[in-house]
Amino acid sequence: MSGTTVTQSATLSLSRAARELELRRGEFDLALNLGCVRSVPDEGGGGRRITRAEIDRVRAESGFPEALRERVKAVGTTEGAALVGVTNARFTRLARLGLVVPVKFYLNRYRVVVWLYLAEELGRFATDEHNAPLLSGRTPEALRDQLSEGLDLRPRNWRGRHLGFLLRQTQNPWARAAVVASLLDPVHVAEVVKDPYERAHLNRLRPAPVSQAAPDSPGALITERITTADDPDEIGWLRADLGQSVLEAREDRLVPRPTPGPSTVPAPAPARASSPSRPAGVPPIAARPSPTATGAPRAVRERLRATDASLTPPESARSRRLLAWLRRRSPDESAYSALNSPSCTTETSRRPSRS
């Protein structure tokens, strides 16, 4: 058994591991993304699982479970502003400028995007003396100009962070390429990955969607806008990363392709056109000896003549009768021809003339 393959009896499901670590499911998912809890792939293809040894390691850490909960605590704008010591409006401006990076988001009942931030990161941001000018006083003019132009780096920063979370849990080269492709529009993916079989393989390996809303619903459309790259620089970077990831995946192994079936067998060559003298599919008639051939018995000659007469097409028989009728002559014409024949002329010339 390889080091990455663990039997079902030695691992726990994600829900069971969350209960044993005394975490809510949202907190446990953040613990997995941040690397606080390590997971292994399920050998049955059922996603990720947690080993018993990992559960024991986390539970043995000092301050468990409070310390683990503080590491995965996510707060919204109001609580985040209180931790940093600024107003909600200033905290929102800091987030739009990309100075604080969201770790997750959700849609409330009014379909408004609610961004969440790690409380531990906000605490470090507030205590960093380099950020003191941003927490009090007037915002620098260059930053104000960017905000007036509509700059909002929260979706892009979340995508970058989410990409890192997914790549950390992926070891298959094609699955890594699928993670990068999941942040691009299908049109960009088709331009980078020309092979339709490779694109279909990437679609099968795409990570689970962030939102569980019904397809084409308002909530699903909002989530799709957030999870799809829209900045030109970000799109160019992801396209380059996707192309490099696909090249590395091809070197590892090629994607499965359909085996040739009956429909792919080349069609047989068309049969030659049959001779117009016989219907198609009828074998040619073997050459026969002439009924008048010398040396053939009389009974054989008569039988061959009867066979040829029965095989003569009706059109040929009528043509022969018509030709014979045209060639016959009247009695007067026959007598005239006999008198003018060379033999009759010769006999007349030999007869002495009468005086």
Side-chain angles (χ1 to χ4, degrees):
M1 180 181 299
S2 62
T4 59
T5 304
V6 184
T7 59
Q8 293 280 346
S9 59
T11 60
L12 288 78
S13 64
L14 299 184
S15 58
R16 173 69 182 276
R19 290 195 300 270
E20 295 216 8
L21 294 178
E22 303 180 24
L23 296 175
R24 294 190 295 268
R25 186 55 190 264
E27 295 174 337
F28 181 77
D29 292 340
L30 270 181
L32 287 177
N33 292 334
L34 296 173
C36 301
V37 180
R38 296 187 294 264
S39 62
V40 295
D42 185 4
E43 63 177 356
R48 312 289 297 184
R49 295 181 68 86
I50 311 298
T51 62
R52 171 55 63 180
E54 180 66 10
I55 297 295
D56 296 339
R57 182 191 69 82
V58 176
R59 291 179 64 90
E61 292 179 350
S62 61
F64 176 85
E66 288 76 11
L68 179 59
R69 289 173 182 167
E70 288 296 324
R71 293 173 63 184
V72 298
K73 182 180 180 180
V75 298
T77 300
T78 301
E79 192 173 354
L83 288 174
V84 177
V86 297
T87 63
N88 290 359
R90 182 179 287 268
F91 183 86
T92 301
R93 290 196 295 269
L94 294 176
R96 290 177 57 188
L97 291 170
L99 300 176
V100 290
V101 180
V103 70
K104 62 187 300 185
F105 72 93
Y106 68 91
L107 301 181
N108 62 14
R109 60 179 178 175
Y110 304 107
R111 299 194 187 97
V112 176
V113 181
V114 178
W115 298 99
L116 299 178
Y117 308 84
L118 282 177
E120 189 178 33
E121 291 183 354
L122 295 179
R124 290 196 300 265
F125 180 82
T127 57
D128 191 348
E129 60 182 14
H130 294 90
N131 299 326
L134 300 173
L135 302 180
S136 61
R138 188 174 178 84
T139 304
E141 183 178 359
L143 299 181
R144 292 200 309 269
D145 293 341
Q146 293 179 5
L147 292 173
S148 62
E149 294 175 358
L151 177 67
D152 190 354
L153 296 178
R154 288 176 294 181
R156 176 173 179 174
N157 287 339
W158 175 87
R159 287 191 294 267
R161 191 165 204 168
H162 185 64
L163 178 64
F165 289 162
L166 295 177
L167 292 178
R168 185 181 295 115
Q169 301 178 16
T170 306
Q171 298 178 352
N172 183 354
W174 281 108
R176 294 177 64 86
V179 168
V180 179
S182 65
L183 299 181
L184 284 170
D185 187 89
V187 176
H188 294 294
V189 176
E191 291 175 353
V192 176
V193 185
K194 306 292 185 179
D195 192 340
Y197 296 107
E198 292 181 344
R199 292 199 303 271
H201 192 61
L202 292 177
N203 289 332
R204 287 193 294 269
L205 297 177
R206 286 175 68 95
V210 177
S211 174
Q212 301 298 328
D216 297 332
S217 64
L221 296 178
I222 295 174
T223 303
E224 183 179 359
R225 286 198 299 268
I226 295 175
T227 58
T228 304
D230 56 357
D231 186 82
D233 294 337
E234 181 186 9
I235 292 174
W237 178 79
L238 289 174
R239 285 170 61 103
D241 193 11
L242 176 60
Q244 182 62 31
S245 300
V246 170
L247 289 178
E248 295 175 358
R250 288 172 183 163
E251 294 178 358
D252 181 69
R253 62 182 177 88
L254 298 178
V255 299
R257 297 177 182 273
T259 56
S263 58
T264 59
V265 177
R272 295 182 178 179
S274 58
S275 175
S277 60
R278 65 177 183 274
V282 177
I285 301 174
R288 293 188 180 139
S290 175
T292 58
T294 58
R298 181 177 180 181
V300 175
R301 293 199 304 270
E302 291 179 354
R303 189 181 305 111
L304 291 176
R305 288 193 188 95
T307 304
D308 290 342
S310 62
L311 294 176
T312 303
E315 292 79 3
S316 299
R318 285 197 297 269
S319 300
R320 291 178 181 178
R321 290 196 298 270
L322 178 60
L323 184 59
W325 182 82
L326 292 175
R327 287 180 177 177
R328 70 181 183 179
R329 299 172 179 176
S330 62
D332 296 339
E333 185 181 357
S334 300
Y336 177 79
S337 299
L339 290 175
N340 292 328
S341 62
S343 59
C344 293
T345 306
T346 304
E347 293 294 334
T348 307
S349 59
R350 291 179 181 176
R351 189 178 300 172
S353 61
R354 293 180 182 180
S355 55

